[in-house]
Amino acid sequence: MLHEPAAQSGHDPSSSYKMKLGMWMFIFYSIFYAGFIAINLISPISMEKTFFSGLNLAVVYGFGLIIVALIQALIYDRACNLKEKELAGTQKTEVK
Amino acid sequence: MEMMPFLLFVFFVGLVLGLSFYFARQARSASGYYAAGGTVHWFVNGIAFAGDYLSAASFLGICGMIATAGYDGFLYSIGYLAGWIVALFVVAEPMKRLGKYTFTDALDAKFNSKGIQLAAAISTLVVSLFYLIPQMVGAGVLIQPLLGLPHYVGVILVGVIVIIIVATAGMTSTTYVQFLKGFMLVIFSSVLVFYMCGRGLTTTPDQGGAVPFYEYKIMAASEAGDSVTPADQSYKVSAVKDIKKDRFVKLMKEGVESWWVRQPGETAASIKLREAQFVALRADGSKIINGLASTAGGKLRQVGNMEVIAGKKGAEADTGSLSPIEYLAKVGSHDSVIGLWKDASFEDGTDKVKVYYSYPAPGNKVMRPGMKFKVEGNFWEKLDFVSLMLALFFGTAALPHILIRYYTVPSPAAARKSTIVAIAAIGFFYVLTLFMGIGAMTHGVVNVADNNMSAPLLARSFGTFLFSIISALAFATVLGTVSGLIIAASGAVAHDLMDRYLDMKLTDKSKVAAGKASAFVVGIIAIFLGIIFQGMNVSFLVGWAFAVAASANLPAIMMLLFWKKTSASGIVASIFVGTVSALGLIMLSPDMYKMYGFDPMTAPVPFSNPGIVSIPLSFITIVIVSMFSAKSSPVESNELSGA
């Protein structure tokens, strides 16, 4: 049932790259998230303004926070995969 | 008891138990029991993450809160999902690389510190128990409409089934239970939203013709000081109660009592009385509900409807089928009005009365934050909102039962990929929660006494089959999450405390036995807690669990990974300060004062969500203690990252 062998996770030459990239992406998302909180505190009335296709800013921003999280996650995974392949000579870390 | 819900319930429980017995042989080693042997495929693990994470709080609590407080409930969805960003970008791969069975393993990977083993195990137990309460409450809530059994039976049933799941096959059976549940929950929630949009909006929802829409009476009256006189002389005023800003009037007609709420009229003396629902508990223990004895069929009506839809009333307001975007746009329109409900409790002679009454809420206000979390309120109310959002953001990546799922996959890259699958599944589900909550709010299905059942009751308005499957899934939701929590707690006791902290040198076999025994004890405790906390909104309670996790664990994890000078003493101090400060602030908060039966205004802490204080405090503690503590194996961050 979709089991796979456990791999020894020792030295990973791409880990510092992934850590830095993850940190930047985390910071970007944190700012986006903080923006949502800030608008609610500074100008809550703005949240009820129609923003897109009849939906107000609160709904669009809320859905946006969910969608952006997924987009960022996919970008991060793609970048990590490429780096892992590039440095595969050092240690194979690719997932089947 | 209806047969279809019962049969589906039995089928789900049978499936879950069958899986557990099937996988039992794989849980004979400690690795098999605590981490499913580290061989679960990343896709299965990702959906199992969703099954683990989409708890009773997500499904029952969030939908219930949206159904009664609008967009504010959706804040939980946003925060819960955003937390996965922290999990993916910061902790996923290092956690897999450093740990073995428990979150404590990862924290202690470079120190081998007794202090860390003890502190992390205690924080795991505290967070898991806090998280268990709402799950067990959710089980009790579900069992009443599903099988017609009392709350405590649901709690005991979940406790017993989960103990069997965990004690037979540990993390392996838990993983597949969570996988199945996560997958089916997303699918059938989508079906529910599809049906809901197909029905559209009306000002007189009748649950597809099954329950006639009840029009609450509005009566003219005159008012002079404390005296109220209804225009209809057949009603006699029996009592007038002023509770905060609202006035409630008890009227008698032909020996039947009813409660009404005052509404302003055209002049100060000419007012309106709007019919309310009520439960009056007599001194002899009998209950009068909406004028009838509970034993003679008196019961509360389900509520929730739009009074005005985009400027239209009555039959012309009926929309017919709507697209999902149109649905939300109509509800959130500046020209829409929704009938929301609140309650007030007071004493009337020897009766204890609880009145439920509706008030008109503009659509544009309902569809933005502010109904529950006062973003336009005073400083403390705003701080409460920020604090909640902070705890939700940082809580996910600090939940022990989520972190241990990183040990079930074969590699750090698989940990990363499974997190992305989780984000996709969980994110999609959270979008659905807004629809399900708003759907319940506008389809006349909300139980005024307990909003936790809003989503399953919405499903019931589309027929018994959908209700049965959604309820059985909700029950499976509780099973999946509780299993994960009990595995995490049993790992903390058997692996962290007994094997490592107490140095009992358990063999592989006895470590599994200790884990199973711990699971049994934690399961029993969970049953007691689930019975005691009956009636609390489950999402609200989970918000506190997140605050404790974010305060106790996340600062330690982040500083360990990103600050070379982090010391073992710093980690220990940070965990204890985070746990104690978060718990202390919760205990002294207005919401807890309300639970104690005190006036919330007298609470020493003016906000209910502790994260804004306890998370920074925990970070400051780890920095200060690490700087001043004796040199204890400072950590090389590149070493921890695997570079």
Side-chain angles (χ1 to χ4, degrees), chain A residues 1-7 9 12 15 18-19 22-23 33 40-41 44 48 53-54 56 58 73 76-77 80-81 84 95, chain B residues 38-39 41-42 44 71 89 93 97 176 329 334 364 367-369 376 382 386 389 410 413 416-417 420 561-562 641-643:
Chain A
M1 285 182 79
L2 286 175
H3 277 260
E4 55 184 313
S9 51
D12 176 5
S15 66
K18 291 188 281 189
M19 210 163 174
M23 190 42 71
Y33 187 77
N40 275 298
L41 293 177
E48 63 186 58
S53 200
N56 66 19
Y76 176 70
D77 186 51
C80 291
N81 283 341
E84 282 166 355
V95 183
Chain B
T39 59
H41 190 276
W42 54 265
V44 173
Y71 190 93
F89 295 147
E93 292 198 45
R97 198 174 289 112
Y176 286 100
H334 285 70
N364 53 315
M367 288 298 281
R368 70 151 168 102
E376 290 169 287
K382 287 183 175 189
V386 177
M389 297 308 284
R416 179 181 78 235
K417 286 178 188 302
I420 293 165
L561 294 175
F562 295 104
S641 69

Short mmCIF file of all heavy atoms in Angstrom, two decimals, chain A residues 1-7 9 12 15 18-19 22-23 33 40-41 44 48 53-54 56 58 73 76-77 80-81 84 95, chain B residues 38-39 41-42 44 71 89 93 97 176 329 334 364 367-369 376 382 386 389 410 413 416-417 420 561-562 641-643:
data_model
loop_
_atom_site.label_atom_id
_atom_site.label_comp_id
_atom_site.label_asym_id
_atom_site.label_seq_id
_atom_site.Cartn_x
_atom_site.Cartn_y
_atom_site.Cartn_z
N MET A 1 0.84 -1.22 0.00
CA MET A 1 0.00 0.00 0.00
C MET A 1 0.87 1.26 0.00
O MET A 1 0.99 1.96 1.00
CB MET A 1 -0.93 0.00 1.20
CG MET A 1 -2.09 -0.94 1.04
SD MET A 1 -3.22 -0.91 2.41
CE MET A 1 -4.16 0.56 2.09
N LEU A 2 1.46 1.50 -1.14
CA LEU A 2 2.25 2.71 -1.34
C LEU A 2 3.34 2.92 -0.28
O LEU A 2 3.54 4.03 0.19
CB LEU A 2 1.33 3.94 -1.39
CG LEU A 2 0.52 4.11 -2.67
CD1 LEU A 2 -0.43 5.27 -2.55
CD2 LEU A 2 1.43 4.32 -3.87
N HIS A 3 3.98 1.84 0.07
CA HIS A 3 5.12 1.98 0.97
C HIS A 3 6.38 2.06 0.15
O HIS A 3 6.45 1.59 -0.97
CB HIS A 3 5.20 0.77 1.91
CG HIS A 3 4.29 0.90 3.09
ND1 HIS A 3 4.71 1.28 4.33
CD2 HIS A 3 2.96 0.73 3.20
CE1 HIS A 3 3.69 1.31 5.15
NE2 HIS A 3 2.61 0.98 4.49
N GLU A 4 7.39 2.65 0.67
CA GLU A 4 8.67 2.69 -0.01
C GLU A 4 9.77 2.53 1.03
O GLU A 4 9.56 2.84 2.21
CB GLU A 4 8.84 3.98 -0.80
CG GLU A 4 8.66 5.25 0.03
CD GLU A 4 8.74 6.49 -0.83
OE1 GLU A 4 9.66 6.58 -1.65
OE2 GLU A 4 7.90 7.38 -0.66
N PRO A 5 10.96 2.08 0.61
CA PRO A 5 12.01 1.83 1.61
C PRO A 5 12.49 3.12 2.26
O PRO A 5 12.58 4.16 1.60
CB PRO A 5 13.12 1.16 0.81
CG PRO A 5 12.85 1.51 -0.61
CD PRO A 5 11.38 1.70 -0.74
N ALA A 6 12.77 3.07 3.54
CA ALA A 6 13.31 4.23 4.23
C ALA A 6 14.75 4.47 3.77
O ALA A 6 15.51 3.53 3.58
CB ALA A 6 13.28 3.99 5.73
N ALA A 7 15.07 5.76 3.54
CA ALA A 7 16.43 6.09 3.10
C ALA A 7 17.20 6.68 4.27
O ALA A 7 16.64 7.34 5.13
CB ALA A 7 16.35 7.10 1.97
N SER A 9 19.16 9.40 5.87
CA SER A 9 19.28 10.83 5.55
C SER A 9 20.50 11.40 6.22
O SER A 9 20.43 11.94 7.30
CB SER A 9 18.01 11.55 6.00
OG SER A 9 17.74 11.24 7.33
N ASP A 12 23.40 16.23 3.25
CA ASP A 12 22.60 16.71 2.12
C ASP A 12 23.24 18.00 1.61
O ASP A 12 23.11 19.05 2.24
CB ASP A 12 21.16 16.96 2.60
CG ASP A 12 20.29 17.54 1.50
OD1 ASP A 12 20.76 17.66 0.36
OD2 ASP A 12 19.12 17.87 1.79
N SER A 15 21.15 21.25 1.39
CA SER A 15 20.32 21.70 2.52
C SER A 15 20.49 23.17 2.86
O SER A 15 19.51 23.83 3.23
CB SER A 15 20.59 20.83 3.75
OG SER A 15 21.88 21.04 4.17
N LYS A 18 18.39 25.08 0.47
CA LYS A 18 16.96 24.92 0.76
C LYS A 18 16.57 25.73 2.00
O LYS A 18 15.48 26.30 2.06
CB LYS A 18 16.62 23.43 0.97
CG LYS A 18 16.71 22.62 -0.31
CD LYS A 18 16.20 21.21 -0.14
CE LYS A 18 17.16 20.29 0.51
NZ LYS A 18 16.78 18.90 0.51
N MET A 19 17.48 25.76 2.95
CA MET A 19 17.20 26.48 4.20
C MET A 19 17.07 27.99 3.92
O MET A 19 16.14 28.64 4.42
CB MET A 19 18.32 26.23 5.19
CG MET A 19 17.90 26.28 6.62
SD MET A 19 19.17 25.50 7.62
CE MET A 19 18.53 25.85 9.23
N GLY A 22 13.94 28.61 1.83
CA GLY A 22 12.78 28.46 2.70
C GLY A 22 12.60 29.68 3.58
O GLY A 22 11.47 30.17 3.77
N MET A 23 13.71 30.21 4.08
CA MET A 23 13.62 31.37 4.97
C MET A 23 13.08 32.59 4.22
O MET A 23 12.21 33.31 4.72
CB MET A 23 15.00 31.65 5.56
CG MET A 23 15.02 32.68 6.68
SD MET A 23 13.69 32.53 7.88
CE MET A 23 14.15 31.06 8.75
N TYR A 33 0.84 37.75 5.05
CA TYR A 33 -0.07 37.41 6.16
C TYR A 33 -0.24 38.62 7.09
O TYR A 33 -1.35 38.95 7.50
CB TYR A 33 0.53 36.22 6.91
CG TYR A 33 -0.33 35.60 8.00
CD1 TYR A 33 -1.39 34.76 7.68
CD2 TYR A 33 -0.05 35.81 9.35
CE1 TYR A 33 -2.15 34.15 8.68
CE2 TYR A 33 -0.80 35.22 10.34
CZ TYR A 33 -1.85 34.39 10.01
OH TYR A 33 -2.59 33.78 11.00
N ASN A 40 -7.01 44.71 8.61
CA ASN A 40 -8.13 44.52 9.54
C ASN A 40 -8.05 45.47 10.73
O ASN A 40 -9.09 45.90 11.25
CB ASN A 40 -8.17 43.07 10.03
CG ASN A 40 -8.92 42.18 9.07
OD1 ASN A 40 -10.10 42.38 8.83
ND2 ASN A 40 -8.23 41.23 8.48
N LEU A 41 -6.84 45.76 11.16
CA LEU A 41 -6.69 46.62 12.33
C LEU A 41 -6.77 48.10 11.96
O LEU A 41 -7.39 48.89 12.67
CB LEU A 41 -5.35 46.35 13.01
CG LEU A 41 -5.20 44.96 13.66
CD1 LEU A 41 -3.81 44.81 14.23
CD2 LEU A 41 -6.25 44.78 14.76
N PRO A 44 -10.54 48.35 8.92
CA PRO A 44 -11.41 47.17 8.77
C PRO A 44 -12.51 47.36 7.74
O PRO A 44 -12.93 46.41 7.10
CB PRO A 44 -11.99 46.97 10.18
CG PRO A 44 -11.69 48.20 10.94
CD PRO A 44 -10.52 48.85 10.30
N GLU A 48 -14.62 45.17 3.59
CA GLU A 48 -15.96 44.87 3.06
C GLU A 48 -16.17 45.48 1.67
O GLU A 48 -17.23 45.34 1.08
CB GLU A 48 -17.05 45.33 4.03
CG GLU A 48 -17.10 46.80 4.30
CD GLU A 48 -18.11 47.13 5.39
OE1 GLU A 48 -17.98 46.61 6.53
OE2 GLU A 48 -19.01 47.91 5.11
N SER A 53 -15.09 40.42 -8.82
CA SER A 53 -16.24 39.61 -9.21
C SER A 53 -17.33 39.57 -8.13
O SER A 53 -17.91 38.52 -7.87
CB SER A 53 -15.74 38.19 -9.51
OG SER A 53 -16.67 37.51 -10.30
N GLY A 54 -17.56 40.70 -7.52
CA GLY A 54 -18.61 40.79 -6.50
C GLY A 54 -18.15 40.38 -5.11
O GLY A 54 -18.88 40.54 -4.14
N ASN A 56 -15.81 40.61 -1.70
CA ASN A 56 -15.12 41.70 -1.00
C ASN A 56 -13.65 41.36 -0.75
O ASN A 56 -13.20 40.24 -1.00
CB ASN A 56 -15.86 42.05 0.30
CG ASN A 56 -15.81 40.91 1.31
OD1 ASN A 56 -14.98 40.03 1.21
ND2 ASN A 56 -16.72 40.94 2.29
N ALA A 58 -12.03 40.98 1.99
CA ALA A 58 -11.79 39.96 3.03
C ALA A 58 -11.77 38.56 2.41
O ALA A 58 -10.89 37.75 2.70
CB ALA A 58 -12.85 40.05 4.11
N ALA A 73 4.57 26.92 -2.25
CA ALA A 73 5.01 25.55 -1.92
C ALA A 73 5.49 24.83 -3.17
O ALA A 73 6.52 24.15 -3.16
CB ALA A 73 3.88 24.79 -1.25
N TYR A 76 8.79 26.29 -4.33
CA TYR A 76 9.86 25.84 -3.43
C TYR A 76 10.27 24.40 -3.75
O TYR A 76 11.45 24.08 -3.83
CB TYR A 76 9.34 25.94 -1.99
CG TYR A 76 10.27 25.42 -0.92
CD1 TYR A 76 11.45 26.09 -0.61
CD2 TYR A 76 9.96 24.26 -0.20
CE1 TYR A 76 12.29 25.62 0.38
CE2 TYR A 76 10.79 23.78 0.79
CZ TYR A 76 11.96 24.47 1.08
OH TYR A 76 12.80 23.99 2.06
N ASP A 77 9.27 23.56 -3.97
CA ASP A 77 9.57 22.16 -4.26
C ASP A 77 10.34 22.03 -5.57
O ASP A 77 11.30 21.28 -5.67
CB ASP A 77 8.26 21.36 -4.34
CG ASP A 77 8.52 19.87 -4.50
OD1 ASP A 77 9.31 19.32 -3.69
OD2 ASP A 77 7.97 19.25 -5.42
N CYS A 80 13.88 23.18 -5.06
CA CYS A 80 14.63 22.18 -4.27
C CYS A 80 14.97 20.96 -5.12
O CYS A 80 16.09 20.44 -5.06
CB CYS A 80 13.81 21.75 -3.04
SG CYS A 80 13.64 23.04 -1.82
N ASN A 81 14.01 20.52 -5.92
CA ASN A 81 14.27 19.36 -6.79
C ASN A 81 15.42 19.65 -7.74
O ASN A 81 16.31 18.81 -7.95
CB ASN A 81 13.01 19.02 -7.61
CG ASN A 81 11.98 18.30 -6.78
OD1 ASN A 81 12.30 17.74 -5.74
ND2 ASN A 81 10.75 18.32 -7.23
N GLU A 84 18.66 19.68 -5.86
CA GLU A 84 19.03 18.32 -5.45
C GLU A 84 19.58 17.54 -6.64
O GLU A 84 20.56 16.80 -6.50
CB GLU A 84 17.81 17.60 -4.86
CG GLU A 84 17.52 18.03 -3.43
CD GLU A 84 16.14 17.61 -2.93
OE1 GLU A 84 15.35 17.06 -3.72
OE2 GLU A 84 15.86 17.86 -1.76
N VAL A 95 13.48 11.80 -4.48
CA VAL A 95 12.41 10.90 -4.05
C VAL A 95 11.82 10.20 -5.25
O VAL A 95 11.64 10.79 -6.29
CB VAL A 95 11.28 11.72 -3.38
CG1 VAL A 95 10.20 10.78 -2.87
CG2 VAL A 95 11.85 12.54 -2.28
N GLY B 38 8.87 4.20 8.94
CA GLY B 38 9.47 5.24 8.08
C GLY B 38 9.33 4.92 6.61
O GLY B 38 10.17 5.34 5.80
N THR B 39 8.30 4.19 6.23
CA THR B 39 8.20 3.74 4.84
C THR B 39 6.94 4.19 4.12
O THR B 39 6.61 3.69 3.05
CB THR B 39 8.24 2.19 4.80
OG1 THR B 39 7.15 1.70 5.58
CG2 THR B 39 9.55 1.64 5.31
N HIS B 41 4.58 6.26 1.75
CA HIS B 41 4.79 7.07 0.55
C HIS B 41 4.40 8.52 0.84
O HIS B 41 3.44 8.77 1.58
CB HIS B 41 3.95 6.51 -0.59
CG HIS B 41 4.26 7.13 -1.92
ND1 HIS B 41 3.72 8.32 -2.35
CD2 HIS B 41 5.08 6.71 -2.91
CE1 HIS B 41 4.17 8.61 -3.55
NE2 HIS B 41 5.01 7.64 -3.92
N TRP B 42 5.13 9.47 0.23
CA TRP B 42 4.89 10.88 0.55
C TRP B 42 3.47 11.34 0.21
O TRP B 42 2.92 12.20 0.90
CB TRP B 42 5.92 11.80 -0.10
CG TRP B 42 6.09 11.68 -1.59
CD1 TRP B 42 7.02 10.93 -2.24
CD2 TRP B 42 5.32 12.32 -2.61
NE1 TRP B 42 6.89 11.06 -3.60
CE2 TRP B 42 5.86 11.93 -3.86
CE3 TRP B 42 4.25 13.21 -2.61
CZ2 TRP B 42 5.36 12.36 -5.08
CZ3 TRP B 42 3.74 13.66 -3.83
CH2 TRP B 42 4.29 13.23 -5.04
N VAL B 44 0.68 9.47 0.30
CA VAL B 44 -0.19 8.93 1.36
C VAL B 44 0.01 9.75 2.63
O VAL B 44 -0.95 10.13 3.32
CB VAL B 44 0.14 7.44 1.62
CG1 VAL B 44 -0.64 6.92 2.82
CG2 VAL B 44 -0.18 6.61 0.39
N TYR B 71 -17.55 35.64 8.93
CA TYR B 71 -16.17 35.51 8.44
C TYR B 71 -15.18 35.22 9.57
O TYR B 71 -14.14 34.62 9.32
CB TYR B 71 -15.79 36.81 7.74
CG TYR B 71 -14.49 36.75 6.97
CD1 TYR B 71 -14.48 36.42 5.62
CD2 TYR B 71 -13.27 37.04 7.58
CE1 TYR B 71 -13.29 36.37 4.91
CE2 TYR B 71 -12.08 37.00 6.88
CZ TYR B 71 -12.09 36.67 5.54
OH TYR B 71 -10.91 36.62 4.84
N PHE B 89 8.57 25.50 5.07
CA PHE B 89 9.81 26.25 4.81
C PHE B 89 10.81 26.17 5.96
O PHE B 89 11.99 26.43 5.77
CB PHE B 89 9.49 27.72 4.52
CG PHE B 89 8.71 27.93 3.25
CD1 PHE B 89 7.78 28.96 3.14
CD2 PHE B 89 8.90 27.10 2.16
CE1 PHE B 89 7.06 29.14 1.97
CE2 PHE B 89 8.17 27.27 0.98
CZ PHE B 89 7.25 28.30 0.89
N GLU B 93 12.02 19.43 6.65
CA GLU B 93 13.20 18.60 6.37
C GLU B 93 14.12 18.45 7.59
O GLU B 93 14.56 17.33 7.89
CB GLU B 93 13.95 19.16 5.16
CG GLU B 93 13.15 18.99 3.88
CD GLU B 93 13.99 19.11 2.62
OE1 GLU B 93 15.08 18.51 2.57
OE2 GLU B 93 13.56 19.81 1.70
N ARG B 97 15.23 14.96 9.43
CA ARG B 97 16.65 14.60 9.50
C ARG B 97 17.10 14.34 10.94
O ARG B 97 17.90 13.45 11.20
CB ARG B 97 17.48 15.75 8.89
CG ARG B 97 18.88 15.38 8.51
CD ARG B 97 19.56 16.51 7.79
NE ARG B 97 19.03 16.73 6.46
CZ ARG B 97 18.34 17.79 6.08
NH1 ARG B 97 18.09 18.77 6.94
NH2 ARG B 97 17.89 17.90 4.86
N TYR B 176 -3.22 5.11 7.84
CA TYR B 176 -4.21 4.77 6.81
C TYR B 176 -5.62 5.18 7.19
O TYR B 176 -6.43 5.52 6.31
CB TYR B 176 -4.10 3.27 6.45
CG TYR B 176 -2.86 3.06 5.61
CD1 TYR B 176 -1.69 2.57 6.17
CD2 TYR B 176 -2.84 3.45 4.28
CE1 TYR B 176 -0.54 2.44 5.41
CE2 TYR B 176 -1.70 3.32 3.51
CZ TYR B 176 -0.55 2.82 4.08
OH TYR B 176 0.59 2.71 3.32
N ALA B 329 -20.87 36.35 -3.06
CA ALA B 329 -21.09 37.75 -3.38
C ALA B 329 -22.49 38.20 -2.93
O ALA B 329 -22.65 39.30 -2.40
CB ALA B 329 -20.92 37.96 -4.89
N HIS B 334 -23.71 44.60 0.24
CA HIS B 334 -24.10 45.68 1.15
C HIS B 334 -25.62 45.75 1.30
O HIS B 334 -26.14 46.30 2.27
CB HIS B 334 -23.59 47.03 0.63
CG HIS B 334 -22.11 47.21 0.84
ND1 HIS B 334 -21.18 46.49 0.13
CD2 HIS B 334 -21.41 48.00 1.69
CE1 HIS B 334 -19.97 46.85 0.54
NE2 HIS B 334 -20.08 47.76 1.48
N ASN B 364 -22.48 42.78 4.41
CA ASN B 364 -21.09 43.26 4.30
C ASN B 364 -20.35 43.14 5.62
O ASN B 364 -19.12 42.98 5.63
CB ASN B 364 -21.06 44.70 3.78
CG ASN B 364 -21.93 45.64 4.58
OD1 ASN B 364 -23.07 45.32 4.90
ND2 ASN B 364 -21.40 46.79 4.94
N MET B 367 -19.51 39.23 6.24
CA MET B 367 -18.47 38.65 5.39
C MET B 367 -17.12 39.34 5.54
O MET B 367 -16.31 39.35 4.61
CB MET B 367 -18.92 38.69 3.93
CG MET B 367 -20.02 37.69 3.62
SD MET B 367 -19.53 35.98 3.89
CE MET B 367 -18.61 35.68 2.42
N ARG B 368 -16.89 39.90 6.71
CA ARG B 368 -15.54 40.41 7.02
C ARG B 368 -15.30 40.26 8.51
O ARG B 368 -16.27 40.10 9.27
CB ARG B 368 -15.38 41.86 6.59
CG ARG B 368 -16.18 42.86 7.43
CD ARG B 368 -15.46 44.18 7.44
NE ARG B 368 -16.23 45.28 7.96
CZ ARG B 368 -16.05 45.77 9.20
NH1 ARG B 368 -15.18 45.22 10.02
NH2 ARG B 368 -16.75 46.81 9.60
N PRO B 369 -14.05 40.27 8.96
CA PRO B 369 -13.80 40.09 10.40
C PRO B 369 -14.47 41.18 11.23
O PRO B 369 -14.62 42.31 10.78
CB PRO B 369 -12.28 40.21 10.51
CG PRO B 369 -11.77 39.82 9.16
CD PRO B 369 -12.80 40.34 8.19
N GLU B 376 -12.60 46.41 15.34
CA GLU B 376 -12.87 47.85 15.48
C GLU B 376 -13.04 48.22 16.96
O GLU B 376 -13.48 49.32 17.27
CB GLU B 376 -14.14 48.22 14.71
CG GLU B 376 -13.95 48.13 13.21
CD GLU B 376 -15.27 48.23 12.46
OE1 GLU B 376 -16.03 47.25 12.48
OE2 GLU B 376 -15.52 49.27 11.85
N LYS B 382 -8.34 44.41 19.91
CA LYS B 382 -7.49 44.31 18.70
C LYS B 382 -6.29 43.39 18.98
O LYS B 382 -5.89 42.60 18.13
CB LYS B 382 -6.99 45.71 18.30
CG LYS B 382 -8.07 46.57 17.69
CD LYS B 382 -7.51 47.90 17.23
CE LYS B 382 -8.60 48.69 16.51
NZ LYS B 382 -8.10 49.88 15.86
N VAL B 386 -4.90 39.96 16.98
CA VAL B 386 -3.52 39.75 16.51
C VAL B 386 -2.93 38.50 17.17
O VAL B 386 -2.26 37.68 16.53
CB VAL B 386 -2.64 40.99 16.83
CG1 VAL B 386 -1.20 40.74 16.40
CG2 VAL B 386 -3.17 42.22 16.14
N MET B 389 -4.20 35.32 15.52
CA MET B 389 -3.61 35.08 14.21
C MET B 389 -2.15 34.64 14.34
O MET B 389 -1.66 33.83 13.55
CB MET B 389 -3.71 36.35 13.34
CG MET B 389 -5.14 36.79 13.04
SD MET B 389 -6.19 35.49 12.35
CE MET B 389 -5.62 35.39 10.67
N PRO B 410 10.25 8.14 4.12
CA PRO B 410 11.61 7.61 4.03
C PRO B 410 12.73 8.65 4.04
O PRO B 410 13.86 8.31 4.37
CB PRO B 410 11.62 6.88 2.68
CG PRO B 410 10.22 6.83 2.21
CD PRO B 410 9.48 7.91 2.89
N ALA B 413 13.34 14.75 1.67
CA ALA B 413 12.64 15.24 0.48
C ALA B 413 11.20 14.75 0.46
O ALA B 413 10.28 15.46 0.04
CB ALA B 413 13.37 14.78 -0.78
N ARG B 416 9.20 16.92 2.67
CA ARG B 416 8.83 18.17 1.99
C ARG B 416 7.64 17.95 1.06
O ARG B 416 6.67 18.70 1.08
CB ARG B 416 10.04 18.67 1.20
CG ARG B 416 9.79 19.94 0.41
CD ARG B 416 11.01 20.37 -0.37
NE ARG B 416 11.20 19.58 -1.58
CZ ARG B 416 12.31 18.91 -1.90
NH1 ARG B 416 13.34 18.89 -1.07
NH2 ARG B 416 12.39 18.24 -3.02
N LYS B 417 7.72 16.91 0.25
CA LYS B 417 6.65 16.66 -0.73
C LYS B 417 5.32 16.35 -0.04
O LYS B 417 4.26 16.77 -0.49
CB LYS B 417 7.06 15.52 -1.66
CG LYS B 417 8.11 15.94 -2.67
CD LYS B 417 8.52 14.79 -3.55
CE LYS B 417 9.70 15.16 -4.43
NZ LYS B 417 9.44 16.30 -5.31
N ILE B 420 3.64 19.47 0.97
CA ILE B 420 2.99 20.21 -0.14
C ILE B 420 1.64 19.57 -0.48
O ILE B 420 0.65 20.27 -0.71
CB ILE B 420 3.94 20.25 -1.36
CG1 ILE B 420 5.15 21.10 -1.01
CG2 ILE B 420 3.22 20.81 -2.59
CD1 ILE B 420 6.32 20.95 -1.94
N LEU B 561 17.40 25.61 15.09
CA LEU B 561 17.79 25.52 13.68
C LEU B 561 18.57 26.74 13.20
O LEU B 561 19.42 26.63 12.32
CB LEU B 561 16.53 25.35 12.80
CG LEU B 561 15.74 24.05 12.98
CD1 LEU B 561 14.47 24.08 12.15
CD2 LEU B 561 16.59 22.86 12.58
N PHE B 562 18.28 27.91 13.76
CA PHE B 562 18.82 29.13 13.16
C PHE B 562 19.77 29.94 14.05
O PHE B 562 20.28 30.95 13.62
CB PHE B 562 17.67 30.04 12.69
CG PHE B 562 16.86 29.42 11.60
CD1 PHE B 562 15.61 28.88 11.84
CD2 PHE B 562 17.37 29.35 10.30
CE1 PHE B 562 14.87 28.30 10.82
CE2 PHE B 562 16.64 28.77 9.28
CZ PHE B 562 15.39 28.24 9.54
N SER B 641 21.18 21.46 9.84
CA SER B 641 20.46 21.50 8.57
C SER B 641 20.90 20.37 7.65
O SER B 641 20.31 20.14 6.62
CB SER B 641 20.68 22.84 7.88
OG SER B 641 22.02 22.93 7.46
N GLY B 642 21.96 19.70 8.02
CA GLY B 642 22.41 18.57 7.21
C GLY B 642 23.49 18.94 6.23
O GLY B 642 23.94 18.12 5.44
N ALA B 643 23.90 20.20 6.20
CA ALA B 643 24.92 20.64 5.22
C ALA B 643 26.31 20.19 5.63
O ALA B 643 26.57 19.98 6.80
CB ALA B 643 24.87 22.14 5.09
#
